[in-house]
Amino acid sequence: MPLLKTWQLIAGSAAVGLALSVATVSAAGPWDSGQRKAERDRVTSWGRTGGADHGAGPLPQPAPSAPGVLGAVGPGAVRGQAAAAPGGLGAALGPLLADRALGTVRTASVVDTATGQVLYESGARDAMTPASAVKIATAVAALSALGPEHRIRTSVVRGAASGQIVLVGGGDPSLTARKKAPAGSGGSLVALAADTAQALKAAGTASVSLGYDDSLYTGPARHPIGVNPNLALVTALTADEGRPDESASGPVERSEDPSKDAARAFAALLAERGITVTGEPARAKAPADAPPLAATLSTPLAGLVERMLTNSDNDIAEALARQTALASGQPAGFEGAEKAVAARLASLGVDTAGSRFADGSGLARADKVSAGLLTGLLAKAADPGRPELRPVLTGLPVAGFTGTLRARNTGSSPAAGLLRAKTGTLTGVNSLAGTVVDSSGRLLAFAFLTANSPAPEGAEKALDKLAAAVAAAS
């Protein structure tokens, strides 16, 4: 399905109520062939009975029908119904934003993505620590720099030493050494080993030494926060995100040397295919312009973005920030990525004043963005003239369905099945930014950023009430 159709699917879901949101979730694409296919199959199995897994509880009321709003998308488009008065939305959001559970600092922005009209704002230009909501910025920057079809290459070349081959990392965060990919299509060391063994045998080579080159990334591999189960060392050659178990997401203790572990796994796979690998894999520099013996490609960037946003995957986020740096001529480290992401976003014409992108994942408290910047980026992703950014919308978790919103705004909430949003959580920091189709059929972008909240549970509930109020706007 062309990327251009996704905005229409998202915006049109309100026209036939929550029942159609099931079809919207299942059809919006591009669907990553593994991780998101499972979501699609699960949604389809529920039939057309509502926008969330309600169990034995009551079903939500269908959203009211709305006239078509896509006949003339763009600034000044004529609509079937008048836009909601900003004062009405303000009356609903103001008291909710004052909830003490949100902490001592709260900012907000709500815009109509089709017209750019600001429907509500409070401190919308104030730079705040966004936590994982910064992944929206990372996603927009990467897609803008590389495009949704870009794939990251991992290759094997002949080394400088006699009888040596070198495994060259390109920074693919979907690279796996497992025989069954844990999250759909992506770079596979298994397939790469098979192709490498075939090429070596064709050349009459049965024994090699193995080097590995992870020099594409520069600077510290360790995130400034230090050792953390939510993020592996950031290297250009990592298989399965440095996870020692069978997990595909969530916190777990990571490898202390993911590059070498990936090379060891590759050596074992070569041995299974009749190629003897002498000695331990060792770090080596691949000869310049060496033709590859074999290569494997990552999931397309669109799929990586979707997976990152749905699961709030920090490893993918840091990889995409570095890929943005490489595409922008910057060193592929934390500093280069920060400069590249900021420059890419500024080139889109959004207001980046006061922003800082100290990392790609949002684990750094030094990250600073405004609510207005986030809604501006979401509006860019909804722009029919920028289909390359559409995976930012399709990758956002869906309230009551997927990822970090699976258990939020469910049941009878007016946001269930219609709201897509990225969460953000650090100690004392809670955020929520995304899109929702309101009852009149408009696709609205919203962002709520808070600081100094007393407890995450209360802050999340208060944020969910704010998002539901936006969904109920008309």
Side-chain angles (χ1 to χ4, degrees), residues 345-446:
L345 300 185
S347 72
L348 294 175
V350 294
D351 182 7
T352 59
S355 298
R356 186 180 174 194
F357 306 97
D359 67 2
S361 61
L363 290 172
R365 289 181 179 272
D367 289 325
K368 300 293 179 185
V369 302
S370 67
L373 172 60
L374 291 176
T375 54
L377 294 176
L378 292 165
K380 289 289 183 184
D383 183 349
R386 293 190 176 277
E388 74 278 4
L389 301 182
R390 209 70 75 245
V392 176
L393 301 189
T394 59
L396 293 172
V398 182
F401 280 96
T402 60
T404 54
L405 287 187
R406 183 181 296 276
R408 295 175 61 173
N409 265 317
T410 60
S412 60
S413 168
L418 296 179
L419 178 142
R420 295 173 176 263
K422 183 70 198 74
T423 58
T425 305
L426 292 171
T427 302
V429 173
N430 297 92
S431 58
L432 191 67
T435 64
V436 65
V437 180
D438 75 0
S439 59
S440 62
R442 297 176 302 174
L443 182 66
L444 308 182
F446 65 88

Side-chain angles (χ1 to χ4, degrees), residues 21-373:
S21 70
V22 172
T24 303
V25 173
S26 64
W31 287 95
D32 185 37
S33 61
Q35 177 244 345
R36 302 218 71 191
K37 182 177 183 296
E39 295 169 5
R40 178 188 62 193
D41 292 345
R42 180 169 179 257
V43 170
T44 302
S45 73
W46 294 336
R48 312 213 179 271
T49 57
D53 187 4
H54 305 289
L59 294 176
Q61 293 298 313
S65 298
V69 297
L70 295 174
V73 172
V78 177
R79 297 192 166 276
Q81 292 183 352
L89 187 57
L93 295 182
L96 296 174
L97 201 62
D99 191 333
R100 292 183 179 179
L102 293 173
T104 60
V105 185
R106 313 103 181 212
T107 66
S109 174
V110 183
V111 301
D112 184 327
T113 64
T115 66
Q117 180 186 8
V118 176
L119 302 179
Y120 179 81
E121 62 180 16
S122 176
R125 301 296 175 265
D126 298 343
M128 302 272 287
T129 298
S132 280
V134 85
K135 290 184 175 78
I136 292 172
T138 303
V140 170
L143 289 166
S144 174
L146 295 161
E149 299 303 320
H150 178 76
R151 292 174 182 258
I152 304 166
R153 178 187 295 264
T154 305
S155 60
V156 177
V157 302
R158 295 272 185 188
S162 176
Q164 181 191 51
I165 61 173
V166 180
L167 176 64
V168 184
D172 174 12
S174 69
L175 186 66
T176 180
R178 300 173 190 173
K179 291 180 172 60
K180 182 178 180 181
S185 62
S188 169
L189 286 179
V190 177
L192 184 60
D195 292 344
T196 301
Q198 183 178 18
L200 291 172
K201 290 175 181 178
T205 302
S207 178
V208 295
S209 63
L210 177 63
Y212 60 93
D213 186 345
D214 62 353
S215 63
L216 186 64
Y217 289 173
T218 61
R222 179 79 66 189
H223 192 284
I225 62 173
V227 178
N228 190 291
N230 291 295
L231 179 67
L233 288 167
V234 187
T235 79
L237 179 62
T238 299
D240 300 301
E241 299 184 341
R243 296 173 179 273
D245 57 16
E246 295 300 309
S247 65
S249 63
V252 67
E253 185 177 348
R254 309 302 180 91
S255 165
E256 296 181 0
D257 192 344
S259 295
K260 189 163 190 174
D261 284 349
R264 284 171 172 160
F266 185 67
L269 290 167
L270 285 175
E272 290 177 7
R273 286 152 182 79
I275 300 297
T276 299
V277 179
T278 60
E280 271 280 289
R283 185 171 275 106
K285 182 65 176 176
D289 302 321
L293 285 169
T296 185
L297 300 177
S298 74
T299 299
L301 191 68
L304 292 176
V305 164
E306 288 190 322
R307 196 180 303 174
M308 172 187 71
L309 293 172
T310 298
N311 289 336
S312 199
D313 192 304
N314 299 310
D315 299 278
I316 295 178
E318 297 302 344
L320 294 188
R322 280 158 179 71
Q323 294 297 318
T324 303
L326 291 168
S328 304
Q330 294 284 348
F334 284 104
E335 292 184 6
E338 177 176 357
K339 293 177 182 177
V341 169
R344 285 288 170 180
L345 300 185
S347 72
L348 294 175
V350 294
D351 182 7
T352 59
S355 298
R356 186 180 174 194
F357 306 97
D359 67 2
S361 61
L363 290 172
R365 289 181 179 272
D367 289 325
K368 300 293 179 185
V369 302
S370 67
L373 172 60

